[in-house]
Amino acid sequence: MTSSLTAQLSQIAANSTNSLNLKAQRTAHSRSLIFEPRTAANQDFDTIYQICIEGFQEICLLDSRFSGFSRSIFSEQSKTQDRTQMTAGQNRELDDVLESFLGLVGGKLLLTPAVKAVEWLVRRFRIHEQNTQSLLLTFLPYHTTPIFSSVLSILPSNLSSTFKFLQPYIRSLTNPPRHALIHAATNNKTFTAATNSYVLKVSKARHHHHALLSFWASIMTEAVAGMLDSARSGRQDVQRQSEEDVLLRILPVLNEALSMKKVPELRAGCYMLLTVLAKKAKLEDEVLTGMMEAVIIGWTQDTLNAGLLCLAVLAQERQAAKLPKRITKELLKVENLAPELASIHERHRADNFILGLVFGALDRLEKIDKSPGLEFVENILEAKILDDCQAALAFKSLLLTAQNIETKDIIGSVNRIQFARVIKRLINSESVGQTMMKALQDSSIDLDLLEIKLQTVVRPVETLPIEASKDEIVQDTVSSKSQDSFETAIATLPIRTPDEVSFLSHTKSHVFTRLLYAFTLISTSPSDLVRFVDLPILRKEMAFKESLYFSFFVRVWCGPYPITARAAALQTVAQLLKGVDNRPVDLQALLPAALVGLADSAKRIRRAAAELVVSLNSIYHFTGFETKKSKNLKPWGYDDIYGHGDQTKNVKWLSAEEASKLLEQAILPSLEECVLDPKHIEHIIETTIGQTSNRRRSDAKASNVELKQSLRLASMSFLSSHVINTPIFLVKIRLLDMLQHVEKVGSTSRTKLLFPVLEESASLDSGEVSAQCSSEQIDVQVYERHMTAVVTAGDKTGLQTLQSIVTGEVGTKRPTLIVAAFSRLRELWPSMRMDVTVSVAQFLLDYSLDDTLAANSRKYQENAMDILRNVQLNIDVLSSFVSQLPAATEMQEKPPAAKRRRTSHEEMLAVNSPDMKQMKNSILKIGVVLELVDSSKPEKYPHLLRGLFQVLGELQHYKTQIGSELGYLQQLVLGSLLSICDSFKDMQRTQISKFEQSAVRADLLTDCVRTTSSPQVQNAALLLVASLSSVAPELVLHSVMPIFTFMGTTVLRQDDEYSSHVIDQTIHQVIPPLIESLRKQSGDAIAGAAELLLSFVAAFEHVPSHRRFRLFTSLAETLGVEDFAFALLAMLAEKYASDAEVQNFAVEFAGQFTSETQFITAKKYLDLAVDTLQPKRTLSDILLSPNDNEAHSVHVVALNVLRLLPRLLSSRRLVSRVGRALGQEDIDAARLRDIFSDLLETTLGLADNVRENKQLHGACANVLESLLGLLSTTQFLKSIEGLIDRPSHELRRKVLKCLDARIRDEKQVDEATRTEILQFLPHLITILVESSDVLSKHAAIACIDQISEKFGKKQISVVATAAEIIGGPYCLGSKDERLQIMSLLCLASMADVLSTGIIPVLPQAVPKSLEHLTRSVSGTSSKERLHNAVYSFLGALLVHVPWMISGGYLDNVLKLSYDSAEAEMDEQANESRIQFMQLVARRIEAKEVFAAVERNWDDAVSKGPIALTSHLTVLSIAIERHPKSAIVKDSQTLSSILIKAFDLRRTDTSSGSDKYDSEDIDDIEKLVNDIAIKMIFKMNDTTFRPLFTKLLDWASSQLPKKDIEGRQLRLISLYNFMYTFFDTLKSIVTSYSSYIVENVVDILKSNPGQNDHSKTLWSAVIRTVLKVFEHDQDDFWQSPSHFSAICGPLVFQLAHAPILPVSSILIPTIVELAAAAESPDHHKSLNAFILKFLRAENSQVRLAAVKCEVSLTERLGEEWLSLLPEMLPFISELQEDDDEDVEVESQRWIVKIEGILGESLDPMLQ
């Protein structure tokens, strides 16, 4: 109940308006934007209203929208409105009005009237308390201006979390920087939401302004970027969720903002945010599309450019290429879209956006007729905005769209015309025409079909593949361009051509080009076509007797010409055949060409070809064919179809009856299928002519097509002869496609019939083939591939021919044909017989390695090798290759036997040297064969095992002969052997028995590891050894040890993943059987594996550091951790005794095992160390090999081993595991305790045995310490009670150090442990009192320090007792310096714990510490550590009991500090002293400090400048630290100190001491002046004025008049202070000038240049009065009494120009006096004084006077030139002055005067 009431009262107090608290109300009323709180507190509302209403009325004149508020919040009634008296509803209505006004006034807050208007809302309606959020958001855009700091000053203290980031700036009243706002917007969700809501609300009310929207856009852009950057941390799903959260916060804001069409600047800001979201977030296309739609909806001309840029960025991030329909539709409405996009693309990448828009525009063209998309696409492509690749893509899309239009309606017709025009313009464009043509050629679009669709010729006529000379083409082209009509085309044709018999002749035709051109022009015009076929040159009337007429049309439809022309050619011939009369004619020569038409890719051509076949068939059914005469009828074209030559004679003809049957039975039934499928004609030829399989025979029977074998053979011969003899490559290719599946007819093979075509083709040179293929638009490679395809796998002759083509024995060595031959061999490979495969493979291998080939043929060797590498080589081929590899012994050149008998040994060596060229070829062949074996999956061919081992052996001989590693070859052999062996690993034991063990040679594998330097070879050999260990372990175990030895020097050093894998495999597969074998042999596996362990240990330093842990862990686990881990650790410790890295590794290695395993390992490890020190060693002799002859060696080995054990036992991981294990009262815990007991017993026994050896004994102590560290604190304390009572000081120190470390590491302890620790303090105190060992005392004090610091506050009395002992004679009074230092530091720490409880210790501790301090700063060698310890102790006393350091103690400390300052100590010692002196100034009372400073002044001065500076620093800090009252109270003491300080210059000079030079004096006086100024700031005028007069009197009159030097030195110090005084306090202390005028005049009237002191004093005085004149703002120097007193003496100083720096300081002082005394009379008298010096005898004086006049003229201008009449005579005289410098300066003066007056002085001077 109480807590509830308290909470309610607290809430009431928090919301209270302090209606009864007048002081609180007055404070609240004083909050103002434009007035100081003191002024604002005294203003009533009438006064405030009158001031603020003026500002409101002024902004109403600027914006009439403000007028509406004059009836509400700015009405007369508003003066009486009190929010505290209004209801909640009324307050809400008022809030709406206030927030509306704030939103409207936000754009004018930099105007004073607007701020006045807001002032009324602050003062009357307290919007800074009631509407804090709206007020801050209104002013935030101006966060860098002074008005914002005024807003911060009136904010309430209880700001909401939304604006909590402003708290630091409210406290310091500084403007928040931009980065603070960005950070808040990024991380403070409420601030971001509030800002967004405010901006939307203001914009919706149409009160937006530029400052607000630009601020919001910039801040939110960076904030959103920061949010998205922060969201990228964490897992992938976390990142995705974080990004979604950001989007859910931002997208609704953007959606609402983009809906405000009439706020363009807000939309522009939204575009910025959308850009950031697109760039930073991983958005789906749907989201990006939604963003793009939001951008285009509602955009205006003002936001168009920014919107397009935003769309470009969004489109760049989309995955889909085409823009959505809605976006495309809106974009195409934009005027001049293409230029706008071009402009954007210059500034930002927009290619994806533009390309997507092109695709979208083309998509709309398929549905809408009058879309502007086509014009847009053309403009984009013409403007070259896109790169060539993108432009080509866009153009291809345009062509596809054109291909898809429908021509059956009006809309399609219009589109067709538009498309045709655009495409033709783009192709013929000078800028992009080449790009468009290339795209046209690269596309898969059927250009013929496109031209038909568009009803125009898209390609220029020049690009048509017409066979003609260049001149003819140019002539025809020019003609077509000039008249472009059929009439013009046929006008150039001759009537007769005597040389032409057939257009299918192998000779070149002279008229075909022009005929083709004319025919192409009229191919779509039936009327012109009739005229064309009747041309005399074609001789239509002789069509059935001569070859000319039909051959023209055959060549047209078999050529690469437009579809319209080819279809017209077929239709023309078919039409003519339909009208033939009953006369018999055999037109079988047209059948191959008709078949070519049926195989055409264009359906229109196939349809026309089908009509031609029907017409041909009809001819053979005329009645005339039944006559006997017709049976012997000679076929058409029999004599000249391919010209007069062998090509025609070699054609095999069918009889008319055979031709009729072929047409009627084979082709005609499936004619419709041929029209539908261009490949169907191939199926027909295959099934009707070829030797079909059973399946295909069934197909043929189903089609009722079954020809006799004689007819099939005749048909095959007929078609093959046309393939061979036709000059048209396209006919050859298509007929070969039809015949490719016909392997043979009867006993006649296809190769036999078609082989001549390969021979003929091979005889052609490259130029002929390339030209023909180019004219027919055929790929040369396609042609060559068809030619070589006539060879089949079973045709040895054909295969040999292909080989002959490759070698150049057949043909012209045409490159493309050779490549095609290789390709055909590769295709036929799977179908070849075994014997053929071996021979072909051998040919390919020999060819690829033949170094006798010509240079132009060697490039094809790679083709041969490529076949071998990419086909499946069987065991016969591989065995053949391997068995033929040359042996190394065959490489030696052996002389004849007779010669061998006559040569010497040296000659024999020379004779038997290998042939290096032959050697090189042999190695190359071996490498190639091994690569082929390696790539052929050798694991499938285990029979290669013996041969590969033989090759490996031969490679060893090759290595010896040529002196090279041959690492790659060895790696290939080993890799293949490894694959074969691995294939047996998963087999059952019965299958493994098939493994050919006799072929394995383990000695070769050992040589590979030992003799090679290649890591790859070593790795491969090791993997093979590991594999053989699983398959046949008895073969390799006897060779394993040498392998492991050399592993340590090779493989283990490699730093790659593969080597690591090799090592793992070797360890896991080789070691287990090896260990098993060792156990069987001797029973002691550890001793037997010593060599193996040594190999790994020796290689440790070479093993990459990041692989060591994994390697040794794998080794230990494979060997057995409990059996071998201790041996590994001991060998590492002995081998690398001084290597810290090895010790760290050993700790990490042992720490991964269980606590029991680690204890067992430690026990065996310690037993091994004990065994090392035994007279008769056992295991240690084998593992560690100590030297028996040297006892020292044995001890070193034992010491090295023992030094590692403490590190292993002190592992934190082991300690925690032991703690958990011992906490479980189970069998495991009992076993662990037993092992621990054994360890402890062994350690203690070993320590006793090696007591005489200090190093070993120390190592045992370390082991013991680590063992004890395994226990908990409570158990540890109980354990060490007995240990510290032992007589061994060293053991005691170790234990105490362990205790110190244990307590230091204790973070949180329970009550029981704390009690145990505190109860242990008496034991430590006993050591301090009774022990004679200083180091033990030192360790005990360290423990006491830790205990008192951490737990001492729980039992103060125990700590106090310890403090008394430490501060007494046992410790602090000891003669050992280290013990003294430790005692002082411990006492300092105890002072923090005991506070005032330390007082009983001080009577004996403080004097003793001062003695130590005295000793530390005296003598020849300083003792910095003792010095610092004393200051630490004294500093702690100043913090807790400062009153104890006073009087004599303080004086002694200060004096010793002076000695310390002057002593040459290090930086840390100086820092200790300085910190202590600062504590003195801050912690001791002001009166005591000031008195001590005064008392010890002389001592500080006597020590030197550093000591005195330190002394004054204490005074300075004390004045700063203490309040004004203390300063005023001790002003007499301070004045005395100042007088002594100012007198330092005189006293030092008079004493004749050399401790202070002039620089030291100047530096100290600067410090004294600063101290004096600080003191003055804390005094009032009443206190300081007497002090000022006292100082002046002290300096000027308190020394005898005879002591002129003393007076001068005092005055120098005084005026140096005066300079600082007047320069710092400025016009505030101008009145103090009256005190110094008389003294200044006296000094100026004296002889200032008589000595150095007088000159220094003169300069100080002039500098002082200069500052006085500068800061005179009270017209002090306009007073005649003041001015007249100083003017004359000051000006008369010009007379000292030869000896004093008049120009630098005197003249500026005179000028400042003239400026301060703004009176004509004063100026006149001043000028009169100066003019007198213009006639001085001394030229330097005259020069100084002129310079003074020049400076006065510059400074005062016309005001000074009112005295010009008086100056003119003097100026005239100066122009003729004897001194050149004076004359020059006077001329400069004249120029200055003329510049001010604007007229020349010459008339006046005349």
Side-chain angles (χ1 to χ4, degrees), residues 127 369 572 799 820 908 930 964 996 1291 1439 1666 1701 1712 1785:
I127 59 171
D369 172 32
T572 300
L799 292 173
M908 281 295 293
L930 290 178
S964 175
E996 192 177 0
L1291 181 59
V1439 172
L1666 174 62
E1712 289 299 332
E1785 191 65 27

Side-chain angles (χ1 to χ4, degrees), residues 56 59-70 104 108:
F56 174 72
I59 62 174
C60 286
L61 296 176
L62 296 175
D63 191 341
S64 60
R65 290 180 293 176
F66 286 104
S67 302
F69 297 102
S70 62
L104 185 58
K108 298 175 175 58

Side-chain angles (χ1 to χ4, degrees), residues 412-443:
S413 177
V414 174
N415 264 342
R416 175 182 58 77
I417 296 171
Q418 293 175 346
F419 270 110
R421 291 174 179 172
V422 169
I423 293 173
K424 293 184 74 172
R425 281 199 298 267
L426 289 173
I427 290 177
N428 295 316
S429 170
E430 293 183 358
S431 59
V432 297
Q434 292 183 353
T435 304
M436 301 300 106
M437 276 302 301
K438 188 175 185 304
L440 187 67
Q441 295 168 359
D442 295 342
S443 67

Side-chain angles (χ1 to χ4, degrees), residues 40-235:
N42 297 323
Q43 294 173 333
D44 58 11
F45 286 115
D46 289 329
T47 304
I48 299 170
Y49 181 77
Q50 289 302 321
I51 296 172
C52 297
I53 198 65
E54 294 175 1
F56 174 72
Q57 291 170 352
E58 289 184 37
I59 62 174
C60 286
L61 296 176
L62 296 175
D63 191 341
S64 60
R65 290 180 293 176
F66 286 104
S67 302
F69 297 102
S70 62
R71 296 184 297 273
S72 55
I73 55 178
F74 286 95
S75 63
E76 286 287 342
Q77 291 78 11
S78 65
K79 293 189 290 185
T80 60
Q81 288 182 338
D82 187 355
R83 298 194 70 159
T84 60
Q85 306 301 322
M86 298 169 65
T87 64
Q90 292 172 332
N91 268 304
R92 283 194 296 272
E93 293 176 1
L94 178 61
D95 288 339
D96 293 339
V97 177
L98 292 171
E99 291 173 3
S100 176
F101 177 80
L102 287 173
L104 185 58
V105 82
K108 298 175 175 58
L109 288 176
L110 294 180
L111 303 176
T112 303
V115 178
K116 287 183 179 180
V118 177
E119 170 74 4
W120 176 245
L121 306 187
V122 172
R123 304 297 295 279
R124 176 67 272 181
F125 302 109
R126 296 190 179 180
I127 59 171
H128 58 292
E129 297 176 353
Q130 305 294 333
N131 306 91
T132 308
Q133 179 167 308
S134 297
L135 177 67
L136 279 172
L137 292 174
T138 302
F139 278 87
L140 264 182
Y142 309 98
H143 65 94
T144 59
T145 61
I147 187 62
F148 194 76
S149 59
S150 300
V151 173
L152 294 179
S153 68
I154 66 173
L155 293 178
S157 59
N158 55 341
L159 272 182
S160 65
S161 60
T162 303
F163 300 100
K164 63 181 179 180
F165 68 93
L166 291 175
Q167 288 292 358
Y169 308 103
I170 293 174
R171 287 193 294 269
S172 59
L173 290 182
T174 56
N175 291 32
R178 175 183 174 82
H179 66 80
L181 300 180
I182 295 172
H183 183 270
T186 304
N187 300 287
N188 190 337
K189 294 182 181 180
T190 56
F191 173 69
T192 307
T195 305
N196 291 333
S197 300
Y198 177 79
V199 171
L200 294 176
K201 183 177 179 181
V202 172
S203 300
K204 195 176 295 183
R206 305 297 298 279
H207 292 169
H208 56 276
H209 52 90
H210 172 73
L212 175 64
L213 296 182
S214 61
F215 166 78
W216 173 78
S218 61
I219 293 295
M220 289 307 300
T221 300
E222 295 192 44
V224 170
M227 295 177 194
L228 294 173
D229 288 338
S230 301
R232 290 179 180 173
S233 61
R235 300 188 310 273

Side-chain angles (χ1 to χ4, degrees), residues 587-865:
L587 295 175
Q588 61 176 284
L590 294 178
L591 182 57
L595 295 177
V596 170
L598 289 174
D600 198 279
S601 59
K603 186 175 182 180
R604 183 177 180 183
I605 302 300
R606 298 198 300 274
R607 177 67 67 185
E611 295 176 1
L612 175 60
V613 170
V614 173
S615 300
L616 279 174
N617 183 63
S618 63
I619 291 177
Y620 287 103
H621 290 281
F622 291 143
T623 55
F625 264 105
E626 272 69 13
T627 64
K628 182 177 180 181
K629 183 179 179 180
S630 65
K631 292 182 180 180
N632 298 321
L633 184 65
K634 185 164 61 174
W636 169 84
Y638 184 86
D639 296 322
D640 55 6
I641 180 65
Y642 296 125
H644 295 298
D646 293 337
Q647 286 84 3
T648 303
K649 295 178 182 179
N650 292 333
V651 174
K652 305 296 182 182
W653 299 96
L654 298 172
S655 65
E657 182 181 0
E658 289 174 335
S660 175
K661 289 182 178 180
L662 180 62
L663 275 171
E664 183 176 6
Q665 298 180 19
I667 300 174
L668 201 62
S670 302
L671 203 58
E672 192 60 35
E673 288 84 351
C674 292
V675 174
L676 296 175
D677 182 9
K679 295 293 183 181
H680 192 71
I681 187 63
E682 298 178 13
H683 176 69
I684 291 174
I685 299 300
E686 178 187 0
T687 56
T688 57
I689 297 178
Q691 185 75 32
T692 61
S693 61
N694 294 333
R695 179 182 60 80
R696 290 182 177 174
R697 286 188 180 276
S698 63
D699 292 342
K701 290 177 181 179
S703 303
N704 295 320
V705 178
E706 187 174 359
L707 302 180
K708 293 182 179 180
Q709 181 173 336
S710 59
L711 178 56
R712 289 192 289 111
L713 179 59
S715 301
M716 182 68 179
S717 301
F718 168 71
L719 294 176
S720 298
S721 66
H722 280 281
V723 171
I724 296 168
N725 295 294
T726 180
I728 303 176
F729 282 3
L730 182 63
V731 175
K732 292 177 182 286
I733 290 173
R734 289 193 177 165
L735 290 178
L736 284 172
D737 285 336
M738 299 175 197
L739 300 175
Q740 65 178 340
H741 297 297
V742 181
E743 295 185 4
K744 63 180 179 178
V745 180
S747 60
T748 305
S749 67
R750 173 168 63 94
T751 305
K752 181 178 180 181
L753 295 173
L754 291 174
F755 193 71
V757 74
L758 177 59
E759 293 179 328
E760 179 196 5
S761 175
S763 65
L764 300 176
D765 59 30
S766 299
E768 292 175 328
V769 174
S770 299
Q772 183 71 10
C773 289
S774 177
S775 64
E776 296 189 32
Q777 293 188 355
I778 298 173
D779 189 352
V780 177
Q781 296 178 354
V782 173
Y783 169 75
E784 304 286 21
R785 188 166 59 249
H786 279 80
M787 294 302 102
T788 56
V790 302
V791 178
T792 60
D795 186 7
K796 289 187 177 181
T797 304
L799 292 173
Q800 291 175 356
T801 302
L802 290 179
Q803 297 175 25
S804 300
I805 290 174
V806 169
T807 58
E809 298 174 7
V810 173
T812 58
K813 293 188 177 181
R814 193 164 68 243
T816 51
L817 181 61
I818 295 175
V819 173
F822 279 120
S823 299
R824 185 58 180 168
L825 287 174
R826 182 171 179 175
E827 292 172 5
L828 296 176
W829 185 274
S831 305
M832 293 181 187
R833 296 194 307 273
M834 190 71 69
D835 56 335
V836 175
T837 303
V838 174
S839 63
V840 172
Q842 191 63 49
F843 163 76
L844 293 173
L845 180 63
D846 294 340
Y847 182 81
S848 64
L849 298 175
D850 189 357
D851 59 345
T852 63
L853 293 177
N856 58 351
S857 299
R858 291 184 180 179
K859 59 184 177 181
Y860 305 115
Q861 289 180 313
E862 187 61 31
N863 297 74
M865 184 55 60

Side-chain angles (χ1 to χ4, degrees), residues 1491-1761:
V1493 171
E1494 184 183 15
R1495 288 196 306 269
N1496 295 282
W1497 176 265
D1498 294 335
D1499 287 331
V1501 171
S1502 64
K1503 296 298 182 182
I1506 300 176
L1508 184 56
T1509 301
S1510 178
H1511 192 68
L1512 289 171
T1513 303
V1514 172
L1515 178 63
S1516 176
I1517 295 173
I1519 292 174
E1520 287 181 356
R1521 172 69 177 80
H1522 294 94
K1524 293 182 179 180
S1525 58
I1527 305 302
V1528 172
K1529 184 177 180 181
D1530 295 311
S1531 58
Q1532 292 300 323
T1533 305
L1534 290 172
S1535 65
S1536 175
I1537 296 172
L1538 288 180
I1539 289 173
K1540 289 182 179 181
F1542 288 142
D1543 204 26
L1544 177 65
R1545 184 184 294 271
R1546 182 190 66 83
T1547 56
D1548 180 68
T1549 304
S1550 61
S1551 66
S1553 173
D1554 59 351
K1555 287 187 177 180
Y1556 298 87
D1557 55 20
S1558 58
E1559 293 183 1
D1560 293 334
I1561 296 294
D1562 291 340
D1563 292 340
I1564 290 172
E1565 283 192 351
K1566 287 180 183 178
L1567 180 58
V1568 172
N1569 293 338
D1570 291 340
I1571 293 171
I1573 295 300
K1574 292 177 182 178
M1575 182 186 72
I1576 293 169
F1577 280 144
K1578 292 198 174 185
M1579 288 183 175
N1580 51 33
D1581 185 68
T1582 305
T1583 307
F1584 178 66
R1585 195 173 289 269
L1587 177 59
F1588 185 83
T1589 57
K1590 180 179 178 181
L1591 283 172
L1592 186 61
D1593 180 63
W1594 164 80
S1596 60
S1597 60
Q1598 287 190 9
L1599 283 176
K1601 292 183 178 180
K1602 294 180 181 180
D1603 191 1
I1604 297 174
E1605 183 183 20
R1607 286 194 174 194
Q1608 287 178 343
L1609 292 173
R1610 279 191 176 184
L1611 287 170
I1612 290 171
S1613 299
L1614 178 65
Y1615 278 99
N1616 284 338
F1617 163 69
M1618 294 287 189
Y1619 174 81
T1620 304
F1621 174 69
F1622 285 110
D1623 188 39
T1624 304
L1625 300 180
K1626 297 180 172 55
S1627 61
I1628 299 175
V1629 294
T1630 303
S1631 61
Y1632 281 73
S1633 305
S1634 59
Y1635 294 101
I1636 66 171
V1637 171
E1638 182 180 354
N1639 187 257
V1640 169
V1641 171
D1642 292 341
I1643 294 171
L1644 295 178
K1645 287 181 178 180
S1646 64
N1647 187 6
Q1650 58 185 348
N1651 54 40
D1652 291 341
H1653 294 320
S1654 63
K1655 289 180 181 180
T1656 305
L1657 176 59
W1658 181 86
S1659 298
V1661 170
I1662 296 299
R1663 289 169 59 245
T1664 301
V1665 296
L1666 174 62
K1667 291 301 177 183
V1668 172
F1669 297 154
E1670 277 184 2
H1671 303 304
D1672 180 18
Q1673 296 180 5
D1674 302 328
D1675 298 333
F1676 179 85
W1677 295 104
Q1678 286 195 16
S1679 171
S1681 60
H1682 298 153
F1683 179 79
S1684 59
I1686 194 68
C1687 179
L1690 184 63
V1691 176
F1692 275 106
Q1693 300 304 308
L1694 292 172
H1696 301 298
I1699 60 174
L1700 293 175
V1702 172
S1703 299
S1704 60
I1705 59 175
L1706 178 61
I1707 292 175
T1709 305
I1710 295 173
V1711 172
E1712 289 299 332
L1713 175 61
E1718 297 177 338
S1719 169
D1721 293 337
H1722 292 336
H1723 287 174
K1724 185 173 182 179
S1725 59
L1726 180 62
N1727 187 43
F1729 284 127
I1730 299 172
L1731 291 177
K1732 291 179 181 180
F1733 290 103
L1734 292 176
R1735 292 175 177 172
E1737 293 295 331
N1738 192 299
S1739 61
Q1740 294 185 22
V1741 176
R1742 294 197 304 276
L1743 179 62
V1746 175
K1747 288 183 177 181
C1748 187
E1749 288 286 358
V1750 172
S1751 299
L1752 287 166
T1753 303
E1754 289 179 345
R1755 176 68 180 274
L1756 301 179
E1758 292 182 357
E1759 184 181 351
W1760 183 254
L1761 292 182

Side-chain angles (χ1 to χ4, degrees), residues 1030-1047:
S1030 300
V1031 178
E1034 63 278 1
L1035 296 178
V1036 295
L1037 285 182
H1038 66 278
S1039 305
V1040 163
M1041 281 306 176
I1043 290 177
F1044 278 112
T1045 300
F1046 286 93
M1047 275 180 63

Side-chain angles (χ1 to χ4, degrees), residues 16-56:
S16 173
T17 57
N18 299 308
S19 58
L20 299 179
N21 189 341
L22 297 179
K23 183 177 180 180
Q25 285 201 352
R26 180 178 177 83
T27 302
H29 184 68
S30 66
R31 301 297 178 98
S32 170
L33 280 177
I34 57 179
F35 296 108
E36 291 293 330
R38 184 178 301 176
T39 304
N42 297 323
Q43 294 173 333
D44 58 11
F45 286 115
D46 289 329
T47 304
I48 299 170
Y49 181 77
Q50 289 302 321
I51 296 172
C52 297
I53 198 65
E54 294 175 1
F56 174 72

